Amino acid sequence: MKKILIGILIITLTACKRSGNESDNLVLPSSETEKEIAIDTITKESVQEKTLKSFEGLADTTFVRLADFSDNFAYDLRYATENNFLKAKVYDCAECYTRVKTAKALIEVNKAFMQKGVKIKFFDCYRPNSVQYKMWEIVPNPQYVANPVKGSIHNKGGAVDITLVDLEGVELDMGTDFDFFGKRAYHDNLDLPQTILDNRKLLKETMEAYGFWSIRTEWWHYNLGIASNDPVADFKWECP
C-alpha cells in the first residue's frame, strides 16, 4: 500500500512540474509595471486608429491640422526651429495646417506617391500672416520672403514646402537642402546628377497631376492652383 501511495505522489509531482514548464512557454508580463505598459500600448494603438477625422461637413476654406486626417506624412517643420535660413524660430510649435481643399489634395497625391514607394515630408505649410511679418523683420528682402502687406499663398493655406522620403523615412536626394537660395535649387537647372533630376521630376510631375504648381527657383515649393484666390489669413493654432 505504501508503494502505491508513493507512486501516486511521484506521478502527481511530475504532472505538476510538466504543467509548470508548459506555463513557462507562455509570454506573459512578468510584473505589474509590464502589464500596465502592455495595456497602455494597446490602448494607445486603439486610440490612434480612432483619431483620424473626416472632412464631412467641413467647408473647403476651413483650416485643419493635416495629421488629424492622415498619418501617412512625415514632418520636419523648420520654422519651429532655428534650422532655417532665418536662423530663428518663428513658430511657437510645430504644426502643419492647411485649408480643407489643400489637405484633401495632399492626401490624394500622397496616395499616388506611396504606390511608388515614397511619401511627402513637410518643411512648411500654412503660415499665419503675423509670422510673415516676423520673417520680414528678420529678412526684409522680397527675393527670399514675401512682403507681408500683400502676403503669400502660404498665408492663404494653399502652399506647402515639401520633399519626398522613402517609406522608412529616408529623404530622396534633391540636390540641395530646403531653403537653399541659388541656381542649384532651380527647376530649370539641368546641370545635376541624373538621380537628382529624376527625384525632382517625380515630385514635380506627380504634384502637378493633382492640381499643384511649382515656382521656378524652389524645387520644394508647391501651390494648390484653386487656392490662389483665397484671402490672406492670420489663423493661429493652439500649442500643447
Side-chain angles (χ1 to χ4, degrees):
M1 185 65 178
K2 184 184 284 188
K3 290 181 179 180
I4 294 173
L5 290 173
I6 292 171
I8 293 172
L9 181 60
I10 291 171
I11 292 171
T12 302
L13 290 172
T14 303
C16 289
K17 186 175 180 181
R18 184 180 298 115
S19 176
N21 289 339
E22 289 172 354
S23 298
D24 289 343
N25 293 328
L26 297 176
V27 180
L28 296 173
S30 60
S31 68
E32 288 302 317
T33 301
E34 290 182 3
K35 288 178 183 177
E36 289 173 4
I37 292 172
I39 292 171
D40 188 53
T41 301
I42 293 170
T43 303
K44 285 181 178 178
E45 289 175 352
S46 300
V47 169
Q48 187 175 5
E49 290 175 359
K50 296 176 183 178
T51 53
L52 294 184
K53 297 180 181 179
S54 168
F55 292 115
E56 186 175 357
L58 295 177
D60 274 351
T61 53
T62 302
F63 282 103
V64 292
R65 179 176 178 265
L66 192 57
D68 288 337
F69 296 85
S70 174
D71 54 9
N72 291 325
F73 295 108
Y75 302 91
D76 179 15
L77 298 166
R78 296 286 188 88
Y79 297 129
T81 73
E82 294 182 355
N83 182 21
N84 56 65
F85 82 102
L86 301 168
K87 306 301 180 186
K89 177 181 176 180
V90 292
Y91 290 148
D92 292 333
C93 60
E95 292 289 1
C96 178
Y97 275 77
T98 69
R99 293 191 192 268
V100 164
K101 56 188 167 186
T102 309
K104 287 179 178 178
L106 287 167
I107 288 172
E108 290 305 308
V109 70
N110 203 44
K111 289 178 183 177
F113 279 128
M114 291 183 72
Q115 291 177 353
K116 300 174 184 179
V118 294
K119 62 183 181 180
I120 293 173
K121 181 176 183 176
F122 292 93
F123 295 124
D124 196 25
C125 305
Y126 159 70
R127 183 188 307 154
N129 193 231
S130 56
V131 172
Q132 194 73 29
Y133 273 93
K134 286 183 184 179
M135 295 174 72
W136 184 256
E137 288 176 5
I138 298 169
V139 181
N141 186 335
Q143 184 177 353
Y144 306 115
V145 178
N147 190 319
V149 174
K150 183 179 179 180
S152 78
I153 197 166
H154 273 292
N155 307 140
K156 298 178 179 184
V160 289
D161 294 331
I162 60 175
T163 190
L164 294 175
V165 297
D166 66 22
L167 300 185
E168 300 299 319
V170 179
E171 286 189 18
L172 274 60
D173 187 358
M174 295 294 180
T176 75
D177 194 7
F178 164 61
D179 268 0
F180 174 88
F181 298 108
K183 188 176 179 181
R184 191 173 175 85
Y186 293 9
H187 279 289
D188 56 5
N189 177 16
L190 303 181
D191 187 22
L192 295 166
Q194 190 61 45
T195 300
I196 293 172
L197 295 176
D198 290 344
N199 290 341
R200 290 187 183 183
K201 181 180 179 181
L202 171 63
L203 178 61
K204 187 172 185 289
E205 290 187 352
T206 309
M207 292 296 288
E208 288 178 346
Y210 285 81
F212 292 87
W213 52 275
S214 62
I215 60 176
R216 184 179 69 88
T217 58
E218 300 176 1
W219 62 258
W220 56 83
H221 182 98
Y222 285 89
N223 300 322
L224 183 65
I226 59 174
S228 59
N229 292 325
D230 287 336
V232 169
D234 197 36
F235 158 76
K236 299 172 186 175
W237 56 83
E238 293 185 3
C239 292

